[in-house]
Amino acid sequence: MRKLRLITFLAVFFTITASQAQTQRVSGVVTSGDGETMPFFTIVVKGTTHAVQTDANGNFVFDNLNPTDTLVFGFLGFETQMIPVGKQSTINVKLVPMLHQLNEVVVTALGVNRQKRELGYSTEKVSGAEIQQSNAPNLVNALTGKVSGVQVSNPDGVDGGTTRIVIRGNNNISGNNEPLIVVDGIPMSNDPGLTDIGRGRDWGSAINNVNMADVESYNILKGGAASALYGARGANGVVLITTRKGKKQKGIGVSYGMTYKMTHPYRYRDVQNTYGGGAPSIDYTQPAFELGSDSIPLFPSLSTDPEFGYPGSSVSWGPKMDGQTIRWWDGSLRAWSPQPDNLKLPFQDGHAVTHNISAEGGGDVGTMRLTISRTDNTPIVHNSNYDQTTLSTNSTLKISDKVNINLSASYTDYHRLNSPLLGEDPESFNKGLLYSWPRSYQGEDLASYSMTDGTRNPQDGFPYLYVDKYLWWKYYNNNTTLDRSKLLGGLAINYTINSWLSFVGRTGIDYTQDEFQSKNKPADLIGLLEGYYGETQQSDRGLSSEFLFTASKKKIFNSNIDVDFNVGGSQWSRDMHSLSAHSGTWYYPNWYSLSNYTSTIYGQDAGGNIIVTQAGDNQAALVPVNTFIEKRLTHFIHSFIYPIEIIYSWSLQVATTGRRHCHRMLTLISIRVYQLAMLLPMHLI
């Protein structure tokens, strides 16, 4: 027994001793690459949550370590180091900077490439690969959720519409809050397609016409310090877009890509499907149908007493929908039954197909990239398709070791059929869904907007308030097309004067030509009633030129001071022109022409006085008859730029930016009157 106790004691003793011998203490100090200590630096045992922090002087002490443990030293901006403990009692670690991060080059204002660590303001970069993977409808939508402080919203949810982008919130209570868009150094006009917050048609903005497959990267400049070199135009921030260039390689590389996108509307309002249109009477009786002379229940009145709330026709406090047969407002017999899907009537699945072909190549003297892209889009609403064809190139030419030239150009051919009406408009189906159509609405006016002979259904007895009773006729027969041609191009020359001084000069053009054509189908069989034809031509030309000398000197006078100095100038002008015309009251059936109008016919009374025997259009109000209006708005901005930046040992940085404007704005409105004598006797033709 004594022997057994002794053996047990010795076994426990040696076990405890062995366990104590396996644990050990490790101490040390953590320093940065330049020898500075790293206070409050976290050290972790690999694969565990066992961790300690360094003190204010970078020292640490780690207890209860095993020889098999591995210590992990990792910090943002430095290479991660993993060191086995082994038999070491002291471990001193010198962190190694991650050079590929510290030396990351980003594009800043005026296209100047800077190391990110040199910047005293916030900027973020998004790669073109991330943009393409998003399969977003346009470049701005592709930024959703990718950049902090950037808000992206699409007001109507329909591809081809304007996408609103705001950086760090609104800067203006009223007016434009969107950033300046710059493509390859060329400022691009990006006016929204809809400015009336109440109603209208949204034809989209120019950013929609940039081919996403051509984008190499985005650089988002946030705040006034980042975009100061662009002056007032960059007050809301700047989005710099750099397109892809050709690569130096043997031969020519050709690539093809195809993307397909399907959009399915799925989120609708939560509604009840028990009670149909109508309202209880003022004596609070249960809603019930009135009976016709044939004892068939009649369509209930949708007029609601204000005592019960909103006096519109969309309220559904009427009889219960049990499938009973009633006589509807148009005289037909239908079942009074639930309509759980009537909110989906105006919508469909959207489809978009994009084909992209690119060819690139290059050698010692330069590179070239050529791309052609084609997009066909069917959106989630009917009768609003669009297609776009884009041809673009980006080429570089090496003139000498010190001089190179870059040429970028993009031409877009864009065609769109209609843009749905938005907001508070009687012809907007969204207004009908919200304010006019009750839960019992079956789309009966949609199914019968046209008669069998092709004329418009008069919709007698139409009961729905605040919405046009001819909404669906106009939706499918009053069509407006947009044909857009857009050219965006720039030429830049880069000259490296010596090791510390360089020059860049750039000029570019942003030209857009829009043509709107409206055709309203006549509502009658003859082809005259409410027939309409109109044309609008708009041109928008922006010209920009700039030059910049950049001086960059490291360790000036053998000190720890680095100096960057820039001086340059810029000029920007914008010229807009619009010409509109439309027909009058049609005289010739089914003739879509500006010359289709009705003239006033004059005669004489018994006393020989000239009188109007048949009234016609007011020719003073008809543009094609005698008036064209041309508006011309021109801005000129001349600027001198002089930013300077001084950096001392990467710990002290002083930057200042100056910009002096010589601002001249010219506004010219001219009215040109043409007497179209050939149109006056047109009815004799």
Side-chain angles (χ1 to χ4, degrees), residues 223-331:
S227 55
L229 292 181
Y230 290 102
R233 290 184 296 157
N236 299 318
V238 180
V239 177
L240 300 177
I241 299 174
T242 303
T243 61
R244 296 184 179 184
K245 301 177 177 63
K247 298 178 181 178
K248 184 178 178 181
Q249 61 185 34
K250 292 183 179 180
I252 297 177
V254 179
S255 61
Y256 167 77
M258 189 272 283
T259 60
Y260 172 80
K261 181 182 70 172
M262 185 183 77
T263 307
H264 177 69
Y266 73 96
R267 189 173 183 180
Y268 299 89
R269 302 196 322 267
D270 292 330
V271 293
Q272 59 85 21
N273 289 292
T274 303
Y275 298 95
S281 62
I282 57 174
D283 56 2
Y284 301 99
T285 59
Q286 184 74 16
F289 293 108
E290 293 184 9
L291 299 180
S293 58
D294 53 3
S295 299
I296 296 177
L298 299 177
F299 189 85
S301 172
L302 301 181
S303 179
T304 306
D305 193 283
E307 182 178 348
F308 295 99
Y310 175 70
S313 58
S314 65
V315 294
S316 297
W317 297 337
K320 195 172 183 178
M321 294 183 288
D322 289 329
Q324 57 271 50
T325 299
I326 71 168
R327 189 174 301 280
W328 284 64
W329 58 269
D330 59 356

Side-chain angles (χ1 to χ4, degrees), residues 653-664:
Q653 178 171 326
V654 179
T656 179
T657 298
R659 184 181 182 100
R660 181 175 180 271
H661 284 300
C662 303
H663 190 177
R664 175 168 62 93

Side-chain angles (χ1 to χ4, degrees), residues 64-132:
N64 300 323
L65 293 175
N66 296 318
T68 57
D69 288 336
T70 299
L71 300 184
V72 179
F73 298 80
F75 192 72
L76 183 66
F78 294 92
E79 300 285 355
T80 298
Q81 299 184 41
M82 291 184 288
I83 301 176
V85 173
K87 297 181 179 180
Q88 302 180 79
S89 59
T90 302
I91 299 178
N92 296 322
V93 175
K94 185 175 183 179
L95 299 178
V96 179
M98 298 178 68
L99 296 179
H100 66 279
Q101 287 190 358
L102 292 179
N103 296 327
E104 179 184 358
V105 176
V106 295
V107 180
T108 63
L110 301 182
V112 178
N113 291 323
R114 299 283 302 279
Q115 290 188 14
K116 194 170 184 178
R117 63 180 180 179
E118 297 177 354
L119 302 180
Y121 49 80
S122 177
T123 178
E124 289 193 51
K125 184 177 181 179
V126 181
S127 68
E130 293 180 76
I131 299 304
Q132 284 191 279

